[in-house]
Each structure stands twice: as C-alpha cells, then as structure tokens.
C-alpha cells in the first residue's frame, strides 16, 4: 500500500489516471447522445485526454485553445474549399494551399502550444468532412469540447490541482543536504578545525 501511495504521488501517474478516467467517462457520455453524434464518441475521448493537465488552469487553457484551434482549422478549410471548388485546381494543390494558410494562422499567439491543431483540423475537414462541413464541425468540435469539459472536471476532482510533488522533494533534499553540511561544519568547529576560505567556498558549492 505504501508503494502504491508513493506511486500515486508521481505527476505522470496522476495524469495517467486522470486521462484514463476522463477518456472513459467522455466516451461513455458521448455514446448516450443521438446516433448522429454517438458514432463519433472517440472525439470526446480525445478531447478529454487533451484537456488533462497537472492543474485546473492548465486544463482549462488547453481545452478552450485546442477547441478554438480546431474550429479555426475547420473554418479555414471550408473557406478554401468554397473558393477553389469552381476552379480546376488539382486536389494536391488545394491541400497544399490549406496547409500553407493554416501554418500562417498558427502564428496567432492566442493558440499557444495548441496551434498545430489548426493545420490538423483543416486537412481533416478538407479530406473527410467536406461533404457536410456543418455536421462534421459539430461532431468533431462539439464532442471534443464535451470531452475537454469532462477532462477539466476530472482534473478538478481527482488529485487536487497544483501538485508540487517534485518541488517538495527537491526542497526536502536541499534541506537535508544543508543540515548535513551544517552538522559537519559544527563538528569541525567544536574540534577547533576552522575551514579555510577555499574550504568554505567548496562546502557552499555542494549545497
């Protein structure tokens, strides 16, 4: 049991438990929706995994930025499709144009580290959802948002946020090392052994 408790204090283990639970819950909830949406339940599981981070603030930021990036990519793909559909532009060139524009849009700082979802969603929409953009955007974007909300809720409830396991351990290790050095120095002083300036500096470097 002690080994299990120690393992559950590890940030990577906590994230793994959260992500697994959030994905399962999101998928289960999505399967209860109407069949048109339930068939894409895995999008909800994806959104849940995306939104699971060490803190609630990080989870919420990841959730809305990822969904915003996905919807931006969808919108970009729809615009390019509508503009290029009447032209004889080959499919490969159209895809290249979509990706190039998506990369430019990804420079938008609001999206942060989730910017790459723009190009991913744009290509996905253009190749899979072009026949019915509105339905595909609702299925993918809506279910991803649903999963992301569940991911944020799981992060809030399971293992309280702002885990400082690594920081606590490092502080404890620094305290122990400092205490040991002070004990060594006190012992030396009791015996009349006064360290030289160089030995003082060397001792401080080991802290």
């Amino acid at each position: 049991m002690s080994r299990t408790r120690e393992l559950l204090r590890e940030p990577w283990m906590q994230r793994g438990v959260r992500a697994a639970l959030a994905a399962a819950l999101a998928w289960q909830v999505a399967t209860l929706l109407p069949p048109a949406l339930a068939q894409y339940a895995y999008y909800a599981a994806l959104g849940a995994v995306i939104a699971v981070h060490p803190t609630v603030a990080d989870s919420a930021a990841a959730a809305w930025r990822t969904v915003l990036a996905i919807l931006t990519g969808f919108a970009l793909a729809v615009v390019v499709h509508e503009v290029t559909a009447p032209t004889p532009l080959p499919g490969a060139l159209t895809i290249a144009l979509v990706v190039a524009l998506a990369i430019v849009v990804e420079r938008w700082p609001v999206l942060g580290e989730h910017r790459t979802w723009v190009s991913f969603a744009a290509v996905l929409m253009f190749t899979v959802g072009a026949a019915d953009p509105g339905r595909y955007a609702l299925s993918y974007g809506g279910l991803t948002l649903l999963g992301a909300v569940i991911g944020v809720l799981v992060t809030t409830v399971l293992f309280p946020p702002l885990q400082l396991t690594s920081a606590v351990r490092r502080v404890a290790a620094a305290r122990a090392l400092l205490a040991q050095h002070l004990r060594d120095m006190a012992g030396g002083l009791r015996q009349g052994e006064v360290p030289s300036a160089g030995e003082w500096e060397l001792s401080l470097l080991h802290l």
Side-chain angles (χ1 to χ4, degrees):
M1 291 297 294
S2 60
R3 173 59 180 167
T4 301
R5 286 195 296 269
E6 185 66 23
L7 193 59
L8 286 175
R9 291 193 183 99
E10 295 290 342
W12 65 269
M13 176 59 72
Q14 293 178 0
R15 186 175 187 275
V17 174
R18 284 200 201 100
L21 179 60
L25 286 175
W27 185 86
Q28 188 61 52
V29 170
T31 59
L32 301 177
L33 297 175
L37 292 174
Q39 62 178 324
Y40 299 111
Y42 46 85
Y43 290 153
L46 174 64
V49 174
I50 291 171
V52 172
H53 285 267
T55 69
V56 174
D58 288 340
S59 295
W64 74 263
R65 283 176 175 157
T66 300
V67 173
L68 177 61
I70 289 173
L71 294 179
T72 301
F74 285 166
L76 178 63
V78 170
V79 170
V80 173
H81 179 267
E82 293 300 319
V83 170
T84 60
T87 68
L89 193 66
L93 290 180
T94 306
I95 289 291
L97 177 60
V98 168
V99 172
L101 292 174
I103 296 298
V104 173
V105 173
E106 286 174 1
R107 293 177 59 84
W108 188 20
V110 171
L111 300 176
E113 61 183 14
H114 308 284
R115 60 175 61 91
T116 55
W117 283 97
V118 176
S119 52
F120 175 81
V123 172
L124 200 61
M125 169 63 85
F126 194 85
T127 56
V128 179
D132 192 350
R135 178 183 175 184
Y136 190 75
L138 175 62
S139 300
Y140 195 114
L143 288 174
T144 301
L145 177 59
L146 171 65
V149 170
I150 291 175
V152 173
L153 291 176
V154 169
T155 300
T156 304
V157 175
L158 188 61
F159 302 119
L162 196 57
Q163 300 299 319
L164 301 175
T165 305
S166 299
V168 169
R169 288 180 177 175
R170 291 180 181 179
V171 169
R175 284 178 176 172
L177 185 59
L178 177 59
Q180 184 59 49
H181 278 288
L182 290 174
R183 282 193 293 267
D184 293 342
M185 292 164 60
L189 291 173
R190 288 193 194 99
Q191 299 175 11
E193 299 175 359
V194 180
S196 65
E199 289 174 333
W200 278 108
E201 292 178 359
L202 184 60
S203 178
L204 291 174
L205 287 174
H206 285 90
L207 294 180

